Amino acid sequence: MIDDLTIEIREETNADHARVRDIELAAFEGFLQADLVDTLRESAVPYLSLVALVPSEIVGHVFFSPAFIECQAEPPAAQLSPIAIAPGHQGKGIGSKLIQTGLQECASIGWKAIFLLGDPAYYSRFGFVMASSMGLEYENPRFAPDLQVVELEPGILDGCRGTVRFHPAYAEAEDL
Ligand SMILES: CC(C)(COP(=O)(O)OP(=O)(O)OC[C@H]1O[C@@H](n2cnc3c(N)ncnc32)[C@H](O)[C@@H]1OP(=O)(O)O)[C@@H](O)C(=O)NCCC(=O)NCCS
């Protein structure tokens, strides 16, 4: 575990794009996540792309883009994906700091709830709960059991039930 203070989190700049792509390629099998990031930078509005540096080398990346809930009073929401830590730097608390800082930044952007598809064993520590328990279902039934959500404004999803959609690039990627 690295001392929390030695992990710097900041917004990505254009100069970081190549390094971010290398991290996505190294952390995941295949090109899917790296290509998604390139697509979303062009078409997701707004988006939040953060990098983690230890101490001056970028070793982690997280991306947030808008999510849409089909309910009457649809609150502004986002989804966290992808998140990637360079293989030699995993398990040292960098992913945790990226997520915690990312959620604070998302709140300041005005997003009220954050969704993701992932392992609850990891994401529950950041406050994520199963979205199905709140009556929210991911549009793709194949991945619906993995949908989790955290409210950045407590109670914002009360009475909001329905289908959750991400940027169309995700639906296209999931059909591959
Ligand atoms: C998943 C990932 C982002 C976590 O970041 P990290 O910096 O390695 O994790 P942290 O150091 O913050 O946290 C470590 C803890 O997370 C757990 N963890 C890491 N990856 C996990 C996973 N995929 N599922 C469940 N738990 C996981 C570790 O077991 C450890 O648990 P502990 O604190 O109880 O010992 C990173 O390992 C990674 O990039 N993995 C490859 C890409 C990936 O799977 N991305 C997520 C897709 S949903």
Side-chain angles (χ1 to χ4, degrees), residues 49-66:
S49 187
L50 300 177
V51 290
L53 299 90
V54 177
S56 55
E57 178 198 11
I58 296 176
V59 296
H61 171 242
V62 67
F63 199 93
F64 297 86
S65 57

Side-chain angles (χ1 to χ4, degrees), residues 27-28 83-85 90-96 117-119 122-123 125:
F28 291 99
I83 177 165
I85 307 301
Q90 293 176 4
K92 297 178 181 173
I94 299 167
S96 296
L117 301 170
D119 186 345
Y122 184 56
Y123 295 104
R125 68 190 70 190

Side-chain angles (χ1 to χ4, degrees), residues 117-118 120 130-132 137-138 140-148:
L117 301 170
M130 302 314 296
S132 56
E137 298 293 336
Y138 187 52
N140 183 337
R142 192 152 53 106
F143 297 103
D146 302 327
L147 186 69
Q148 292 151 74

Side-chain angles (χ1 to χ4, degrees), residues 64 76-78 99-115 126-128 149-157:
F64 297 86
I99 293 170
Q100 286 157 349
T101 307
L103 293 179
Q104 288 165 9
E105 294 289 318
C106 284
S108 65
I109 284 174
W111 282 322
K112 308 287 187 192
I114 307 297
F115 292 89
F126 309 109
F128 285 88
V149 64
V150 63
E151 291 179 322
L152 300 181
E153 186 176 310
I156 192 73
L157 295 174

Side-chain angles (χ1 to χ4, degrees), residues 1 4 6 13 26 28 41 53 76 111-112 121 175:
M1 206 55 84
D4 193 54
T6 65
T13 68
F28 291 99
R41 280 199 201 99
L53 299 90
W111 282 322
K112 308 287 187 192
D175 282 337

